[in-house]
Amino acid sequence: MGSVIRTTWIQRTLAIFSLCFFSFGFGIAVTQFRIYPYPVLRDANTALNALTVVAQPRSIDGLATYQTKTQVPLAISHSERLDDTYVLLSAGAAAFKSTFPEGVLAWIVDRKGNVVHHWKSQPGLWDNLEKVTRVPGVSGAISPASLHLCDNGDLIATYHGHNTFPFGVGIARFDCQSNLIWKKELLTHHSFSVAEDGRIFVPAVEVVDSPIQVAHTESMIYSDNGKILRDLILVLAPNGDVLDQISVLDALFDSGLHGNLLRANASMLTSDDPTHLNDVQLISEADTAQLPGAAAGDLLISMRNINAVGLIDPHSRRFKWFSSGAMMGQHSPRVYQQGVVAIDNLGGDQRLGGTQLTHIDFTTGLPKTLFPRAGVPMPDLCRTVNSGHLDLHRNRNLALFSVSHEGAIWEIDLETGKVEWEYIYAQPDVEGGRQMIGPTKYVYDLSFLGS
């Protein structure tokens, strides 16, 4: 009997050992030769890693250092020469819930901070996503990234997600009464432009397999997650249909600028988001007077992760002009005084907050700080780590600057560096009051509201 038990135990031990050995060998084969179920395991690991990265706690830095204390939205004038323009702004789906229980997508204020019009929030707008992964209990709100107000009062908004993969979600259009006209899950995000004929030029991402070859070189872009976000400029019809797309990486490769992706002596870039396109601005006929060699219809873009801005010819799909290294983590490049001004998120003096507005001369490529300036006071620290928005007044001297991480909008005279007007966004029902602010733009005409 004991002999039988011993034999059975040995057989079971050998069977378990054989199974473990087979599993170990099969695992090596799956990893080495990438046979099934390698793609499934890789994609699951990609989603897990992406959530691990983006699910880190986020805070609005620097609010405790802010000098002006308020629990409600507040407009403050620092000048006697303000014009009668209005300001369009957004701060996410929960904005103004203390005043408007349904929440506000965007609103327009006058110079005294009075709300003259608003668009209702659409909390269920992106509930049924097909291309974007959301995890219950982990993924946060999908909120507006940028806005465009049409002459007839329609509002176009891009959306991005918090703790989603990818972060780009889509674009939607609403009428003046907040009714949805159309929405498109195109993985669009960040700041965009609208042409006079209604075409929309907007950043988007496509998720592709790693690695990507850098031009025709032996170098590669590789992602530990197995997936890479490849930046696109989408050209949309007024109804949101895709008319064309331009690959930012291909534009860099075809323009001979691929060296901006790699460090010296490096044959591989490890990144799942190599360029991070965060703005597409359509060059107007008036802009061409400020940019020698530029043509109406060219596209001024910002690539945060390579600290670069550039001008793309949409026909040749190559860069006409390119600047890298003059700013760090920049947003919102705008044509200004024979060059480009942008939010230099991480390139400023840390004693003043760390963020500045930098001007790059289109001919020399050299940078100059426009704001803040020595001896010119500002309301508080200038700090917006990884966001912010800039809109130039049509007179070209004033600019609205969303200091996102400080919950404020400053109107700045770019010639003097003085803050002329500010708007502080705060919620009375939120501890600490101040809340992160989103994109902001000048509004010159309210005729769409009627009499």
Side-chain angles (χ1 to χ4, degrees):
M1 183 70 177
S3 176
V4 172
I5 294 175
R6 191 180 306 109
T7 301
T8 302
W9 180 84
I10 293 174
Q11 290 174 338
R12 288 178 178 176
T13 301
L14 289 174
I16 292 172
F17 178 78
S18 299
L19 180 61
C20 292
F21 183 78
F22 173 78
S23 299
F24 178 74
F26 182 69
I28 292 177
V30 167
T31 304
Q32 182 68 28
F33 301 106
R34 302 190 175 187
I35 60 177
Y36 186 84
Y38 174 82
V40 176
L41 297 174
R42 180 200 60 195
D43 291 349
N45 184 63
T46 296
L48 177 62
N49 288 340
L51 289 173
T52 300
V53 172
V54 298
Q56 299 302 318
R58 296 181 179 182
S59 62
I60 302 177
D61 298 329
L63 297 186
T65 66
Y66 221 91
Q67 299 172 12
T68 305
K69 306 297 181 183
T70 182
Q71 289 291 122
V72 296
L74 179 65
I76 304 173
S77 175
H78 300 286
S79 173
E80 299 296 330
R81 64 182 184 90
L82 296 178
D83 61 17
D84 58 356
T85 54
Y86 296 84
V87 176
L88 169 72
L89 61 155
S90 178
F96 269 100
K97 277 201 170 181
S98 56
T99 306
F100 304 104
E102 75 276 12
V104 174
L105 166 64
W107 66 100
I108 298 175
V109 298
D110 62 18
R111 291 299 189 158
K112 295 182 180 180
N114 300 312
V115 178
V116 298
H117 186 69
H118 74 278
W119 287 261
K120 297 178 183 178
S121 178
Q122 309 284 338
L125 183 66
W126 301 106
D127 281 352
N128 301 312
L129 293 169
E130 298 179 353
K131 303 176 183 178
V132 178
T133 300
R134 303 184 72 184
V135 178
V138 177
S139 296
I142 293 177
S143 56
S146 191
L147 306 168
H148 175 81
L149 179 60
C150 303
D151 292 340
N152 66 349
D154 286 0
L155 187 73
I156 304 174
T158 51
Y159 289 81
H160 55 197
H162 178 57
N163 295 348
T164 64
F165 184 81
F167 62 86
V169 175
I171 185 169
R173 183 170 186 146
F174 308 90
D175 67 17
C176 185
Q177 287 74 42
S178 307
N179 299 307
L180 178 66
I181 299 175
W182 53 257
K183 66 174 181 177
K184 304 284 184 176
E185 186 187 350
L186 296 173
L187 308 186
T188 51
H189 54 89
H190 281 95
S191 298
F192 60 100
S193 297
V194 178
E196 291 184 359
D197 62 6
R199 287 176 302 148
I200 304 166
F201 297 79
V202 59
V205 295
E206 62 173 342
V207 181
V208 299
D209 290 333
S210 170
I212 295 175
Q213 184 180 8
V214 177
H216 297 293
T217 72
E218 62 183 18
S219 300
M220 307 293 285
I221 301 172
Y222 175 81
S223 170
D224 291 333
N225 295 328
K227 297 290 184 180
I228 293 174
L229 301 181
R230 186 181 179 98
D231 281 323
L232 300 174
I233 300 169
L234 295 185
V235 183
L236 309 181
N239 66 358
D241 290 345
V242 178
L243 300 175
D244 196 6
Q245 66 179 38
I246 300 171
S247 165
V248 172
L249 279 178
D250 286 348
L252 288 168
F253 297 162
D254 294 342
S255 303
L257 295 168
H258 45 275
N260 289 278
L261 296 166
L262 298 165
R263 297 187 303 272
N265 302 320
S267 60
M268 180 178 293
L269 168 68
T270 302
S271 174
D272 58 3
D273 188 7
T275 53
H276 194 84
L277 177 69
N278 61 23
D279 207 305
V280 178
Q281 289 297 305
L282 184 66
I283 298 299
S284 68
E285 191 65 45
D287 291 332
T288 61
Q290 300 290 326
L291 301 179
D298 287 347
L299 302 172
L300 176 63
I301 71 169
S302 169
M303 296 154 283
R304 188 197 69 181
N305 285 1
I306 59 173
N307 302 317
V309 294
L311 192 67
I312 289 181
D313 181 336
H315 304 293
S316 68
R317 301 171 189 262
R318 297 186 177 190
F319 282 90
K320 286 184 171 182
W321 176 81
F322 187 86
S323 173
S324 178
M327 296 179 287
M328 296 174 62
Q330 76 291 322
H331 287 72
S332 292
R334 301 292 183 264
V335 177
Y336 178 69
Q337 288 192 348
Q338 307 298 312
V340 172
V341 61
I343 302 171
D344 188 357
N345 289 72
L346 302 173
D349 188 331
Q350 63 175 340
R351 296 168 296 182
L352 301 177
T355 299
Q356 63 186 13
L357 300 184
T358 297
H359 178 265
I360 302 175
D361 187 278
F362 196 74
T363 302
T364 68
L366 296 177
K368 178 176 68 175
T369 300
L370 298 183
F371 178 87
R373 300 188 190 183
V376 181
M378 59 180 177
D380 294 281
L381 292 180
C382 184
R383 172 162 49 198
T384 178
V385 179
N386 57 6
S387 56
H389 189 273
L390 197 64
D391 189 42
L392 299 191
H393 194 283
R394 58 187 174 187
N395 71 10
R396 294 286 180 172
N397 292 327
L398 297 175
L400 285 176
F401 175 23
S402 293
V403 194
S404 300
H405 286 77
E406 302 292 359
I409 296 169
W410 296 344
E411 183 175 44
I412 301 168
D413 186 325
L414 296 177
E415 293 186 343
T416 65
K418 180 184 176 182
V419 176
E420 303 277 341
W421 180 83
E422 63 176 313
Y423 180 87
I424 300 171
Y425 174 59
Q427 289 273 39
D429 53 351
V430 175
E431 183 179 356
R434 290 177 177 274
Q435 295 294 291
M436 192 167 179
I437 198 74
T440 180
K441 290 189 174 183
Y442 284 105
V443 176
Y444 306 103
D445 183 7
L446 294 181
S447 60
F448 63 88
L449 294 179
S451 57

Short mmCIF file of all heavy atoms in Angstrom, two decimals, residues 297-326:
data_model
loop_
_atom_site.label_atom_id
_atom_site.label_comp_id
_atom_site.label_asym_id
_atom_site.label_seq_id
_atom_site.Cartn_x
_atom_site.Cartn_y
_atom_site.Cartn_z
N GLY A 297 -3.03 79.67 -44.73
CA GLY A 297 -3.33 78.24 -44.80
C GLY A 297 -2.26 77.36 -44.21
O GLY A 297 -2.49 76.18 -43.96
N ASP A 298 -1.05 77.92 -43.98
CA ASP A 298 -0.02 77.16 -43.27
C ASP A 298 -0.49 76.90 -41.85
O ASP A 298 -1.39 77.57 -41.32
CB ASP A 298 1.30 77.93 -43.25
CG ASP A 298 2.00 77.95 -44.61
OD1 ASP A 298 1.60 77.17 -45.49
OD2 ASP A 298 2.94 78.75 -44.77
N LEU A 299 0.16 75.94 -41.18
CA LEU A 299 -0.27 75.54 -39.84
C LEU A 299 0.87 75.71 -38.84
O LEU A 299 1.96 75.14 -39.01
CB LEU A 299 -0.72 74.08 -39.86
CG LEU A 299 -1.86 73.74 -40.83
CD1 LEU A 299 -2.10 72.24 -40.89
CD2 LEU A 299 -3.15 74.47 -40.44
N LEU A 300 0.62 76.53 -37.83
CA LEU A 300 1.58 76.72 -36.74
C LEU A 300 1.23 75.72 -35.64
O LEU A 300 0.11 75.72 -35.13
CB LEU A 300 1.49 78.15 -36.21
CG LEU A 300 2.36 78.51 -35.00
CD1 LEU A 300 3.84 78.39 -35.34
CD2 LEU A 300 2.02 79.92 -34.51
N ILE A 301 2.18 74.86 -35.28
CA ILE A 301 1.89 73.81 -34.31
C ILE A 301 2.89 73.82 -33.15
O ILE A 301 3.99 74.36 -33.26
CB ILE A 301 1.89 72.41 -34.97
CG1 ILE A 301 3.30 71.98 -35.36
CG2 ILE A 301 0.95 72.37 -36.17
CD1 ILE A 301 3.39 70.51 -35.77
N SER A 302 2.47 73.22 -32.05
CA SER A 302 3.32 73.08 -30.86
C SER A 302 3.46 71.60 -30.53
O SER A 302 2.47 70.87 -30.48
CB SER A 302 2.70 73.82 -29.67
OG SER A 302 3.35 73.49 -28.46
N MET A 303 4.72 71.16 -30.30
CA MET A 303 5.02 69.79 -29.93
C MET A 303 5.70 69.81 -28.57
O MET A 303 6.90 70.03 -28.46
CB MET A 303 5.92 69.15 -31.00
CG MET A 303 5.25 69.04 -32.36
SD MET A 303 6.42 69.02 -33.75
CE MET A 303 6.85 70.78 -33.84
N ARG A 304 4.91 69.59 -27.53
CA ARG A 304 5.39 69.79 -26.16
C ARG A 304 6.58 68.92 -25.79
O ARG A 304 7.53 69.38 -25.16
CB ARG A 304 4.24 69.51 -25.17
CG ARG A 304 4.57 69.86 -23.73
CD ARG A 304 3.62 69.20 -22.75
NE ARG A 304 3.80 67.75 -22.70
CZ ARG A 304 3.08 66.95 -21.94
NH1 ARG A 304 2.09 67.43 -21.22
NH2 ARG A 304 3.30 65.64 -21.93
N ASN A 305 6.54 67.64 -26.15
CA ASN A 305 7.53 66.70 -25.64
C ASN A 305 8.90 66.82 -26.30
O ASN A 305 9.86 66.18 -25.84
CB ASN A 305 7.02 65.26 -25.75
CG ASN A 305 5.98 64.97 -24.70
OD1 ASN A 305 5.63 65.82 -23.89
ND2 ASN A 305 5.48 63.75 -24.68
N ILE A 306 9.01 67.62 -27.37
CA ILE A 306 10.34 67.90 -27.93
C ILE A 306 10.64 69.40 -27.85
O ILE A 306 11.55 69.89 -28.52
CB ILE A 306 10.49 67.37 -29.38
CG1 ILE A 306 9.44 67.99 -30.30
CG2 ILE A 306 10.44 65.86 -29.41
CD1 ILE A 306 9.65 67.62 -31.77
N ASN A 307 9.86 70.12 -27.02
CA ASN A 307 10.09 71.56 -26.78
C ASN A 307 10.21 72.33 -28.09
O ASN A 307 11.12 73.14 -28.26
CB ASN A 307 11.37 71.76 -25.94
CG ASN A 307 11.31 71.05 -24.60
OD1 ASN A 307 10.28 71.08 -23.93
ND2 ASN A 307 12.39 70.41 -24.23
N ALA A 308 9.28 72.08 -29.01
CA ALA A 308 9.42 72.64 -30.35
C ALA A 308 8.11 73.22 -30.86
O ALA A 308 7.02 72.73 -30.55
CB ALA A 308 9.93 71.58 -31.32
N VAL A 309 8.24 74.27 -31.67
CA VAL A 309 7.13 74.82 -32.44
C VAL A 309 7.59 74.88 -33.90
O VAL A 309 8.78 74.96 -34.19
CB VAL A 309 6.72 76.22 -31.95
CG1 VAL A 309 6.14 76.14 -30.55
CG2 VAL A 309 7.88 77.19 -31.99
N GLY A 310 6.63 74.83 -34.82
CA GLY A 310 7.00 74.85 -36.22
C GLY A 310 5.84 75.23 -37.12
O GLY A 310 4.68 75.25 -36.69
N LEU A 311 6.17 75.53 -38.36
CA LEU A 311 5.19 75.95 -39.36
C LEU A 311 5.17 74.90 -40.47
O LEU A 311 6.19 74.66 -41.13
CB LEU A 311 5.57 77.32 -39.92
CG LEU A 311 4.54 78.05 -40.78
CD1 LEU A 311 3.34 78.45 -39.93
CD2 LEU A 311 5.18 79.28 -41.42
N ILE A 312 4.01 74.27 -40.68
CA ILE A 312 3.87 73.20 -41.67
C ILE A 312 3.10 73.70 -42.88
O ILE A 312 2.06 74.36 -42.75
CB ILE A 312 3.15 71.98 -41.07
CG1 ILE A 312 4.04 71.26 -40.07
CG2 ILE A 312 2.72 71.00 -42.16
CD1 ILE A 312 3.40 70.02 -39.47
N ASP A 313 3.61 73.39 -44.07
CA ASP A 313 2.88 73.59 -45.31
C ASP A 313 1.94 72.39 -45.47
O ASP A 313 2.40 71.26 -45.64
CB ASP A 313 3.86 73.67 -46.48
CG ASP A 313 3.17 73.90 -47.82
OD1 ASP A 313 1.98 73.56 -47.95
OD2 ASP A 313 3.84 74.39 -48.75
N PRO A 314 0.62 72.59 -45.43
CA PRO A 314 -0.30 71.44 -45.49
C PRO A 314 -0.31 70.74 -46.84
O PRO A 314 -0.81 69.62 -46.94
CB PRO A 314 -1.66 72.08 -45.19
CG PRO A 314 -1.52 73.49 -45.62
CD PRO A 314 -0.10 73.87 -45.33
N HIS A 315 0.24 71.39 -47.88
CA HIS A 315 0.27 70.77 -49.21
C HIS A 315 1.50 69.85 -49.35
O HIS A 315 1.37 68.69 -49.74
CB HIS A 315 0.27 71.84 -50.28
CG HIS A 315 -0.89 72.80 -50.18
ND1 HIS A 315 -2.19 72.40 -50.40
CD2 HIS A 315 -0.94 74.13 -49.86
CE1 HIS A 315 -3.00 73.43 -50.24
NE2 HIS A 315 -2.27 74.49 -49.90
N SER A 316 2.67 70.36 -49.01
CA SER A 316 3.87 69.52 -49.08
C SER A 316 4.01 68.62 -47.86
O SER A 316 4.75 67.65 -47.88
CB SER A 316 5.12 70.40 -49.20
OG SER A 316 5.34 71.13 -48.00
N ARG A 317 3.31 68.99 -46.76
CA ARG A 317 3.36 68.26 -45.49
C ARG A 317 4.77 68.26 -44.91
O ARG A 317 5.20 67.30 -44.29
CB ARG A 317 2.82 66.84 -45.66
CG ARG A 317 1.38 66.83 -46.15
CD ARG A 317 0.91 65.44 -46.53
NE ARG A 317 -0.38 65.52 -47.17
CZ ARG A 317 -1.56 65.31 -46.55
NH1 ARG A 317 -1.57 65.00 -45.27
NH2 ARG A 317 -2.69 65.41 -47.21
N ARG A 318 5.47 69.36 -45.15
CA ARG A 318 6.80 69.55 -44.58
C ARG A 318 6.87 70.87 -43.82
O ARG A 318 6.04 71.75 -44.02
CB ARG A 318 7.87 69.54 -45.69
CG ARG A 318 7.96 68.21 -46.43
CD ARG A 318 9.12 68.21 -47.39
NE ARG A 318 9.26 66.93 -48.06
CZ ARG A 318 10.28 66.58 -48.82
NH1 ARG A 318 11.28 67.45 -49.02
NH2 ARG A 318 10.33 65.39 -49.38
N PHE A 319 7.87 70.97 -42.95
CA PHE A 319 8.04 72.18 -42.17
C PHE A 319 8.70 73.27 -43.00
O PHE A 319 9.69 73.02 -43.69
CB PHE A 319 8.89 71.91 -40.93
CG PHE A 319 8.13 71.22 -39.81
CD1 PHE A 319 8.09 69.84 -39.74
CD2 PHE A 319 7.47 71.97 -38.86
CE1 PHE A 319 7.40 69.20 -38.72
CE2 PHE A 319 6.77 71.35 -37.83
CZ PHE A 319 6.73 69.95 -37.76
N LYS A 320 8.15 74.48 -42.91
CA LYS A 320 8.78 75.66 -43.50
C LYS A 320 9.71 76.34 -42.51
O LYS A 320 10.67 77.01 -42.91
CB LYS A 320 7.71 76.67 -43.91
CG LYS A 320 6.91 76.33 -45.15
CD LYS A 320 5.98 77.49 -45.47
CE LYS A 320 5.32 77.32 -46.82
NZ LYS A 320 4.44 78.48 -47.14
N TRP A 321 9.37 76.21 -41.24
CA TRP A 321 10.12 76.85 -40.16
C TRP A 321 10.00 75.98 -38.92
O TRP A 321 8.98 75.33 -38.70
CB TRP A 321 9.56 78.24 -39.89
CG TRP A 321 10.19 78.98 -38.74
CD1 TRP A 321 11.37 79.66 -38.74
CD2 TRP A 321 9.66 79.11 -37.42
NE1 TRP A 321 11.61 80.21 -37.50
CE2 TRP A 321 10.56 79.89 -36.67
CE3 TRP A 321 8.49 78.66 -36.80
CZ2 TRP A 321 10.35 80.22 -35.33
CZ3 TRP A 321 8.28 78.98 -35.46
CH2 TRP A 321 9.20 79.75 -34.75
N PHE A 322 11.07 75.96 -38.13
CA PHE A 322 11.10 75.06 -36.98
C PHE A 322 11.98 75.65 -35.90
O PHE A 322 13.07 76.17 -36.18
CB PHE A 322 11.63 73.69 -37.41
CG PHE A 322 11.56 72.62 -36.35
CD1 PHE A 322 10.40 71.87 -36.18
CD2 PHE A 322 12.64 72.35 -35.53
CE1 PHE A 322 10.33 70.88 -35.23
CE2 PHE A 322 12.58 71.36 -34.57
CZ PHE A 322 11.42 70.62 -34.41
N SER A 323 11.53 75.60 -34.66
CA SER A 323 12.32 76.08 -33.53
C SER A 323 12.23 75.07 -32.40
O SER A 323 11.13 74.70 -31.97
CB SER A 323 11.81 77.45 -33.05
OG SER A 323 12.47 77.84 -31.86
N SER A 324 13.36 74.63 -31.89
CA SER A 324 13.40 73.65 -30.81
C SER A 324 14.38 74.11 -29.74
O SER A 324 15.49 74.56 -30.04
CB SER A 324 13.82 72.28 -31.34
OG SER A 324 13.91 71.34 -30.28
N GLY A 325 13.96 74.00 -28.48
CA GLY A 325 14.86 74.29 -27.36
C GLY A 325 14.77 75.69 -26.81
O GLY A 325 15.37 75.99 -25.77
N ALA A 326 14.02 76.58 -27.46
CA ALA A 326 13.88 77.94 -26.95
C ALA A 326 12.86 78.02 -25.82
O ALA A 326 12.82 79.01 -25.08
CB ALA A 326 13.49 78.90 -28.07
#
